[in-house]
Amino acid sequence: MATTRTAVPLLNLTRQFSAMREELLAEVAKVFETQRFILGENVAAFETEIARYLGTPHAIGVSSGTDALLVALMALGLGPGDEVIVPAFSFFATAGVVARLGATPVFADIEPESFNLAPESFASKVTSRTRAVIPVHLYGRCAAMEEILEIAARRGIAVVEDACQAIGAKRGGAFAGTLGKIGAYSFFPTKNLGAAGDAGLVTTADAALAGRLRDLRVHGMNPKYFHSEIGGNFRLDELQAAVLRVKLRRLETWNEARRAVAARYRELLAPLVASGKVGLPAEAAGHRHVYHQFVVRVRARDEVRRRMAEAGIGTEVYYPVPLHLQKCFAPLGGRPGDCPEAERAAQEVLALPVWPELLPEEIEAVAAALAAAAA
Ligand SMILES: *Cc1c(COP(=O)(O)O)cnc(C)c1O
C-alpha cells in the first residue's frame, strides 16, 4: 500500500490540453480570422485526413455520435415497421436513434468476455421485418464482426457499426467502423479522439450512400434550396474540425498510451484475478483494443466503487441499466431475464481511469485501491 494518498480522477483532460495548448489555440484563432464557421476548409480537410487514417473512401463530419447513428439509419431509409437489432448493453443512443425514427429497437444479448453483441443472440432475433443491426464496439474493443457480417449478409440486413468508443480499434487489420455498411463515430470530449464540444463522423465505402449522407446532413438539400428528401442539420462546424485535425495527429500515440496503461493494470491486478476477486477485460488475437474504458468485473461493485472513491480514485459504471429495462422502452415489453449477460454486466462492471497521460504511480494507486476495496 502506498503511504501517501494519490488521488486519481476517472479522467483529466487538462494534461492533454497543456501538451498542445499553443498549437490548438493557434488553429482555433485562424478559424476566427476567417469568420467561416460552417462547412469550410477545416471540415473538408478533416474528412480527407480521417478517411485516409481509417482507410475508408468516404468520411462525412457530423454534429455528434448520436447524429451519426441517426443519419446513418435515415440514409438506409428506416422507419415505422422496421426492426433494428441492437445489443442490450450500450450507451442509450444506440437504441434511442432507432426509436426516434419510429422503427423498433430489438434487444439482443452480449458475449460475457467482450461485452459486445453475441452473434447467436443476434441471429435468434432476426425476423422478416429486420432491416439493420447495430453492433457496438464497446469500451474500444471490436465486436465479433466476422460472424455478425456473415449472418447479416445471409439475411439481407444492413450493418451499421457504432464505433463511437472505438476510433483506432482494429479487427483483422481493418479499423472499427469500416467493416459494415456505415460506421458511426463520436468525438464527444471524453472519447479517445475528443472535440471541444459535440462532433461526430460517418464513414462508408458506398459512394451513393455517401452522397445521401452528405445531403441528409444539410436537410436533404441538393442542389441549394431543392429538397428531394427530409434531412436535418447534422453539420460539423469549423472550430470542432480545426481542433480534431490537431488531435487526430496524436491519436495513435494516445491509443498506444492507453494500451500501455491497460498492460500495466494487467500486471498489477494479476493477483486479484488469480484469487477470483476481479475479472479483467479480454484481449483477443488479431484485435487492437483501444481502451476507451478499462472495465473490470467485481462482485459487490457499488461497495467497491464507494471504497475506491474514499481512497480518492474515480471510477464509473457504464452502464447500470441494460437498454431493454430502461423505463422509456417499457412499452416494448422487455423483462428481467431477457438478456441475462447484459443484466449481469450491468451489475458487475466498473471502469477504472485509463487516460493516456496517467503517471506510473497513479496507475499503481488505482490498482492498490482496487485491491484494498475488493478484498
Ligand atoms: C458516446 C456514444 C454515443 C453518442 O455519441 P455522442 O457524440 O455523445 O452523441 C453513441 N454510442 C456509444 C456507444 C457511445 O459511447
Side-chain angles (χ1 to χ4, degrees):
M1 277 279 289
T3 46
T4 51
R5 187 173 181 274
T6 307
V8 186
L10 180 69
L11 176 64
N12 174 356
L13 287 168
T14 56
R15 281 186 202 165
Q16 186 198 79
F17 175 60
S18 305
M20 58 185 187
R21 173 185 208 105
E22 283 70 33
E23 190 182 346
L24 198 65
L25 294 181
E27 292 305 322
V28 168
K30 279 189 210 159
V31 176
F32 276 93
E33 295 305 333
T34 68
Q35 287 293 304
R36 170 131 196 210
F37 294 109
I38 301 290
L39 298 183
E41 62 185 42
N42 280 292
V43 170
F46 174 64
E47 289 177 345
T48 303
E49 288 159 8
I50 199 156
R52 192 181 306 140
Y53 169 72
L54 292 170
T56 186
H58 308 284
I60 299 128
V62 294
S63 33
S64 71
T66 304
D67 287 344
L69 289 165
L70 184 66
V71 78
L73 300 186
M74 289 171 78
L76 295 173
L78 299 192
D82 297 330
E83 293 178 356
V84 179
I85 297 174
V86 300
F89 193 63
S90 181
F91 177 60
F92 177 75
T94 312
V97 292
V98 177
R100 281 173 64 190
L101 292 175
T104 305
V106 174
F107 302 105
D109 209 355
I110 57 166
E111 304 171 316
E113 50 306 322
S114 73
F115 298 104
N116 286 325
L117 181 65
E120 328 74 75
S121 183
F122 159 41
S124 76
K125 304 284 175 179
V126 174
T127 73
S128 58
R129 291 178 299 280
T130 308
R131 296 277 314 279
V133 59
I134 312 183
V136 180
H137 307 304
L138 203 66
Y139 307 144
R141 193 228 206 244
C142 285
M145 290 304 290
E146 293 83 0
E147 294 89 335
I148 291 166
L149 288 167
E150 198 268 317
I151 297 163
R154 196 151 29 84
R155 307 296 298 262
I157 296 166
V159 177
V160 174
E161 295 176 73
D162 182 339
C164 286
Q165 298 189 3
I167 187 134
K170 281 185 178 175
R171 183 159 183 129
F175 278 110
T178 67
L179 298 153
K181 196 90 184 143
I182 305 178
Y185 303 81
S186 166
F187 306 124
F188 185 81
T190 62
K191 299 284 164 84
N192 289 28
L193 177 61
D198 281 308
L201 184 82
V202 280
T203 56
T204 183
D206 180 327
L209 206 45
R212 192 127 193 249
L213 289 161
R214 282 189 187 281
D215 292 352
L216 287 167
R217 173 171 72 172
V218 285
H219 301 286
M221 181 168 80
N222 190 8
K224 203 171 186 184
Y225 304 133
F226 287 77
H227 303 258
S228 51
E229 59 185 329
I230 300 167
N233 173 359
F234 303 127
R235 297 180 299 244
L236 174 65
D237 64 59
E238 280 289 292
L239 282 169
Q240 298 306 339
V243 168
L244 288 165
R245 291 181 71 194
V246 172
K247 290 190 164 195
L248 177 60
R249 301 199 270 274
R250 292 163 169 83
L251 177 63
E252 279 294 304
T253 309
W254 289 335
N255 277 343
E256 282 307 313
R258 286 174 182 273
R259 290 181 52 75
V261 175
R264 184 68 181 128
Y265 276 141
R266 280 181 201 288
E267 292 169 3
L268 293 166
L269 298 175
L272 290 180
V273 176
S275 63
K277 294 204 170 71
V278 169
L280 294 184
E283 284 231 26
H287 289 220
R288 183 197 194 203
H289 196 321
V290 291
Y291 293 100
H292 172 58
Q293 301 295 345
F294 186 92
V295 173
V296 299
R297 286 184 189 262
V298 282
R299 281 188 296 275
R301 187 263 324 274
D302 295 338
E303 180 62 17
V304 169
R305 181 164 193 241
R306 194 185 57 72
R307 289 197 195 127
M308 290 184 75
E310 280 169 11
I313 308 298
T315 62
E316 189 51 273
V317 175
Y318 305 106
Y319 297 93
V321 182
L323 295 172
H324 65 294
L325 300 179
Q326 291 287 355
K327 188 176 178 189
C328 65
F329 292 133
L332 297 173
R335 292 269 177 279
D338 286 353
C339 296
E341 289 299 341
E343 291 163 34
R344 188 164 70 88
Q347 299 289 317
E348 295 181 351
V349 293
L350 189 64
L352 309 182
V354 70
W355 32 292
E357 300 81 10
L358 276 175
L359 305 172
E361 59 270 28
E362 291 172 327
I363 301 167
E364 284 161 23
V366 173
L370 178 58

